Structures are given as structure tokens and as C-alpha cells.
């Protein structure tokens, strides 16, 4: 024992001074500094709250907008051929097409910058600007998802409905939309997840959300690794939870198919 | 009952129906036969405006239904249609499939419709399927349901678009039986079909279509035993 002690001490000091081990040992204080010190975790929670709020409000906004656009686009496409086209519907359809093309054809980041510095330069609350940018962006994608879902329903279904004397609205409401819903739901889940992750871009325009607090704390403690890794884990955990909920919902819907 | 005048229909450059004039009287069972692509399904679908004619007029019970101002939903409520692929609504029970249209169009209340559905289901011997979903049914059962779904609207005329073409051979009979029964009750029927036996037995008139024209028509016995047109002879020699 006493003979080995110096050897052990030597080994221990060598190991202790190895860079990776040093690094590992430093993690404790570093994360402590980034999360615990000065109750900083409250800031993350505050940021997470803002992020979730932005996601939910922007999604609601996007769904309503997307629904309107999808209704205009499908109503326009389903006009009976041979008859005079509805002029107003034609104009609306053109507007909707421009909207989806522009939004889906430009980067989310660029859109946010335009919202902040060109369209709404006087709005101080950057979270609100973020909601506008994200919601309007999401609307374009939701519109295409819903339109695709409606088109995926066999045309024979609406023909059968109409042949029974049901009007267009009843046919959509009772026959087409319930069937489209099943096809729409998975893509809507994906859209929700994408939107949730895209909220981190709002940091760049000064919106006080999760990534914003992470970079602030990183700047104050001169250590960016713990806050950024920390929020990455937070995003990941929430996305995994959402994915799980989504697959569970899909499985339940599929079960009803095999009734 | 249905009067068709100079009906033409083209899809793009392709002329499917070429200047067809035809009259269907109450109680008639008109069977339309012909090779595929002859325009017979399009002709049938024009009768309730599932296809919009390119030219010509269709009059149903004194209403010119090709007039854009006509409320087509009201007209369709009086014309039942049965499709090749049944087109039952998979998201509803059989009962709901049958009662949806009568209730939503204000023809009857839910309770009346339910009673009617029960009565109709009994008629096609599918009472026990009222709460089933379409996916649980065989093709023949689906098509029988599709027929009573159309009948629930109490239509004045029934249009059948190849009702047995998507069925397994052993299920054709059960569907044809329902149609025969319907014919015996005096329903006005227009049937596009490849079932020559049905045409001969049930039809009061057979139309032979090819290339967008009605080439020949006659009452069934005469039509099958003594066809006049060369094209008809050729077609019948292949299918009989």
C-alpha cells in the first residue's frame, strides 16, 4: 500500500492534468454559471415561454390564413369548366398564388429581416414582429398542405355527394374535409415542429425568446457553450415529445380505418 | 321525362359526344351499350351535369337543366346515380351514408330518414350492416348500399354507370337482382352496362353507342336478334 501510494499519486496527477479530463471537470462550474448562478434558469424559462407562445400564436395565425388561401385555391380550381369563371375568385386566386410563391420562394430569415426593417420598423415588440413573420410564412405552407389534402380525396367522393343533390358546401363539410383531415394531420404536425424550431431565428431581430437569452447569457459569462448546448437540448426534448404525440395521434386515426 | 337535344361534349380537342338527340320517357329502362371510349358514360354523366355539356340542351321534367341559372342541386335530388366504384363515404356508417343527403337537403327529418334507411336496408337484405362502415363490406354489398343510398332521395329517375364492372363475377348477380326489382316497380332507369343478359331481360330499349354517336337503337329482342348497323353486328359478335 505504502509502496504503491506515490505511484498512484503520480498517476492521478497525470490523469487529472490531461486536457479532456480538465475539460470534463470544468463542465460543472461552467453549466452552473450559465444556468444556476444568479437564477439564470429563470431567463431560459422566460425565453422558452416566449418561444412556445410565438409558436402557438403563429401557428393559429398560419392555420387560419392557410385555410382561407386553400379554400380560395380549391374553389377556384373546382369551378365547373365551360361556365363563365367568377371574376372575383380569379383575382383572389391570383393573389393567393403570388402569396404562396413569394413566401415559399424566399428564406425565412430574409422574410423576418424585411418584416423588421422594412414593413414594421416602428414596432418595438420584436416578438410580435416575429409572430407576424412566422405566421404569414407558415400560412403559405399550411395552405399547400390543406390543398394537397383536399385534392387527395378521390373525386368520386364529391361526385357522389353532388349527385345526391348535396350542395358544394355540404359536400365539402361532411364528405371531403373529414377524409382530407386524416391526410392533412401528419403534415400539419411537421409544420408545427418546423415552426417551433424556426422561432429561434427571431433572436436575430432582437425578439426575446429562448435563443436570445442563451446568447445574452453567453455574452455575459464569456462562455457560449453551456447556454447553446443547453437550449439545443431543450429544443430537442420538445421536438421529440411533439413527434411522439404526433405518431400516437396518427396511429389512433389509422386504427379507425380498420374498423 | 329527359329530353336531350344536340348534345355535344368535348374534352379539349377530343370530341366525345357528337350532336346527340334522345328522349327518355317515364318508366323506360334504357340500356346503353357500346365499346369503351364510345362516350356512353359521358352521355350518362351529362344527364345530371356531372359533366358539363359543350353544346346542346338537356330538359328534365320541363326544366332546361343546361341553363346556368338552374339550381342544379334541386335537379340532382330527383336523379339518383350509381357509380362503377360505388363511391360510398368511408368516413360514415352505412346508415349515415343513406340518410345524409335526405336530411341535409331538407327532404326529411333524421328520424324519418332512419326509418327509411332501415326499410331500404331490409329490401336489399343488409339490415345488419346499418352500423358498419363501407370498408367492412364486399363489393356487391357496397353497390347494393349505393343503390339504396340513391333511392333514399326518392328520385324520379336512376342513372347507372357500369354498376357491375368493378365487381367480382360472383357478386354481379346480387346487384343485378336489385336493379331488376327496381325496374319491375316501374322506376325510370338509364343503365350503362356490359351485361347483355340484363339488357335483354330488363331493358325496354337498347342504345348502341360508338364514336360519340348513337348508331342504333331498338327494343332488346329485335336489337340482339336482328342488328342492322355493321358496327353493331361486329360489337355483338364479339360480346355475345
Amino acid at each position: 500500500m505504502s509502496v504503491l501510494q506515490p505511484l498512484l499519486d503520480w498517476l492521478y496527477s497525470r490523469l487529472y492534468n490531461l486536457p479532456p479530463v480538465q475539460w470534463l471537470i470544468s463542465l460543472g462550474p461552467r453549466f452552473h454559471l450559465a444556468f444556476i448562478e444568479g437564477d439564470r434558469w429563470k431567463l431560459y424559462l422566460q425565453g422558452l415561454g416566449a418561444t412556445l407562445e410565438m409558436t402557438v400564436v403563429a401557428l393559429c395565425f398560419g392555420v387560419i390564413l392557410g385555410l382561407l388561401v386553400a379554400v380560395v385555391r380549391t374553389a377556384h380550381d373546382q369551378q365547373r369548366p365551360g361556365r363563365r369563371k367568377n371574376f372575383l375568385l380569379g383575382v383572389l386566386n391570383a393573389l393567393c398564388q403570388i402569396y404562396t410563391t413569394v413566401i415559399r420562394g424566399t428564406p425565412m430569415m430574409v422574410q423576418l429581416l424585411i418584416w423588421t426593417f422594412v414593413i414594421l420598423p416602428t414596432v418595438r415588440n420584436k416578438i410580435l414582429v416575429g409572430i407576424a413573420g412566422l405566421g404569414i410564412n407558415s400560412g403559405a405552407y399550411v395552405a399547400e398542405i390543406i390543398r394537397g389534402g383536399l385534392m387527395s380525396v378521390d373525386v368520386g367522393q364529391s361526385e357522389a355527394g353532388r349527385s345526391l343533390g348535396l350542395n358544394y358546401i355540404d359536400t365539402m363539410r361532411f364528405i371531403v374535409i373529414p377524409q382530407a383531415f386524416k391526410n392533412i394531420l401528419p403534415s400539419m404536425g411537421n409544420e408545427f415542429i418546423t415552426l417551433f424550431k424556426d422561432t429561434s431565428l427571431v433572436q436575430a431581430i432582437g425578439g426575446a425568446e429562448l435563443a436570445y437569452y442563451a446568447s445574452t447569457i453567453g455574452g455575459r459569462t464569456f462562455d457560449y457553450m453551456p447556454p447553446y448546448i443547453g437550449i439545443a437540448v431543450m429544443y430537442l426534448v420538445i421536438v421529440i415529445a411533439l413527434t411522439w404525440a404526433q405518431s400516437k395521434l396518427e396511429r389512433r386515426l389509422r386504427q379507425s380505418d380498420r374498423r | 321525362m329527359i329530353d336531350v337535344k344536340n348534345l355535344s361534349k368535348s374534352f379539349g380537342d377530343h370530341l366525345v359526344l357528337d350532336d346527340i338527340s334522345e328522349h327518355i320517357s317515364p318508366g323506360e329502362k334504357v340500356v346503353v351499350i357500346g365499346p369503351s371510349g364510345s362516350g356512353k358514360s359521358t352521355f350518362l354523366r351529362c344527364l345530371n351535369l356531372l359533366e358539363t355539356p359543350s353544346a346542346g340542351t338537356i330538359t328534365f321534367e320541363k326544366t332546361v337543366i343546361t341553363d346556368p341559372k338552374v339550381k342544379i342541386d334541386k335537379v340532382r335530388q330527383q336523379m339518383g346515380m350509381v357509380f362503377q366504384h360505388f363511391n360510398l363515404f368511408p368516413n360514415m356508417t352505412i346508415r349515415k351514408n343513406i340518410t345524409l343527403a335526405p336530411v341535409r337537403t331538407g327532404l326529411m327529418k333524421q328520424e324519418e330518414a332512419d326509418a327509411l334507411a332501415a326499410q331500404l336496408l331490409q329490401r336489399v337484405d343488409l339490415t345488419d350492416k346499418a352500423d358498419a362502415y363501407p370498408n367492412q363490406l364486399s363489393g356487391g354489398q357496397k353497390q347494393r348500399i349505393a343503390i339504396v343510398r340513391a333511392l333514399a332521395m326518392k328520385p324520379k329517375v336512376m342513372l347507372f354507370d357500369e354498376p357491375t364492372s368493378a365487381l367480382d363475377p360472383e357478386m354481379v348477380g346480387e346487384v343485378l337482382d336489385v336493379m331488376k326489382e327496381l325496374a319491375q316497380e316501374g322506376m325510370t332507369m338509364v343503365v350503362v352496362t356490359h351485361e347483355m343478359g340484363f339488357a335483354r331481360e330488363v331493358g325496354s330499349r337498347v342504345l348502341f353507342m360508338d364514336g360519340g354517336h348513337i348508331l342504333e337503337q331498338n327494343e332488346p329482342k329485335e336489337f340482339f336478334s336482328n342488328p342492322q348497323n355493321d358496327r353493331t353486328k361486329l360489337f355483338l359478335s364479339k360480346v355475345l
Side-chain angles (χ1 to χ4, degrees), chain A residues 28-250:
Chain A
R30 286 169 78 187
F31 272 89
H32 185 271
L33 185 65
F35 286 89
I36 314 289
E37 190 106 347
D39 281 343
R40 292 205 167 106
W41 54 273
K42 282 183 182 160
L43 292 178
Y44 292 97
L45 276 189
Q46 206 176 320
L48 195 60
T51 288
L52 290 174
E53 181 193 316
M54 234 183 343
T55 311
V56 171
V57 177
L59 189 83
C60 293
F61 194 35
V63 166
I64 294 167
L65 194 61
L67 203 63
L68 288 176
V69 172
V71 164
V72 169
R73 299 269 281 119
T74 27
H76 178 266
D77 291 353
Q78 286 178 349
Q79 282 182 108
R80 306 235 310 269
R83 293 212 175 175
R84 203 161 53 85
K85 300 251 192 252
N86 187 328
F87 178 72
L88 181 69
L89 202 54
V91 173
L92 282 175
N93 181 61
L95 286 176
C96 291
Q97 249 172 323
I98 292 170
Y99 162 67
T100 46
T101 311
V102 170
I103 294 293
R104 301 205 306 161
T106 53
M108 176 79 248
M109 190 68 239
V110 174
Q111 289 171 29
L112 272 180
L113 293 173
I114 290 175
W115 278 106
T116 316
F117 297 109
V118 183
I119 302 174
L120 301 170
T122 53
V123 176
R124 286 274 190 77
N125 186 340
K126 298 304 178 194
I127 292 283
L128 272 184
V129 178
I131 287 174
L134 288 167
I136 285 175
N137 177 275
S138 176
Y141 288 93
V142 171
E144 290 302 299
I145 290 170
I146 294 178
R147 204 166 73 93
L150 290 175
M151 288 199 307
S152 72
V153 178
D154 177 24
V155 66
Q157 289 292 312
S158 58
E159 279 184 357
R162 297 307 300 275
S163 82
L164 288 164
L166 292 171
N167 59 33
Y168 177 74
I169 293 184
D170 275 358
T171 305
M172 291 303 271
R173 178 174 157 203
F174 293 102
I175 299 162
V176 178
I177 290 174
Q179 294 183 57
F181 187 70
K182 247 180 240 185
N183 302 330
I184 289 172
L185 210 62
S187 323
M188 284 298 279
N190 293 339
E191 177 58 25
F192 185 62
I193 288 169
T194 306
L195 186 62
F196 169 68
K197 291 186 293 185
D198 278 354
T199 55
S200 60
L201 293 173
V202 175
Q203 184 241 161
I205 60 167
E209 44 70 73
L210 190 54
Y212 175 88
Y213 284 112
S215 83
T216 312
I217 291 165
R220 195 164 304 161
T221 57
F222 303 107
D223 191 1
Y224 283 97
M225 190 277 282
Y228 282 154
I229 296 292
I231 64 164
V233 170
M234 293 183 208
Y235 281 115
L236 184 64
V237 166
I238 291 176
V239 168
I240 288 172
L242 286 174
T243 314
W244 176 81
Q246 188 192 359
S247 67
K248 191 150 178 154
L249 196 62
E250 275 172 49

Side-chain angles (χ1 to χ4, degrees), chain B residues 96-117:
Chain B
K96 188 78 185 159
N97 261 277
I98 298 172
T99 59
L100 176 72
V103 173
R104 285 305 301 179
T105 55
L107 194 67
M108 51 187 90
K109 293 205 173 62
Q110 186 67 49
E111 302 83 61
E112 295 172 70
D114 283 340
L116 178 67

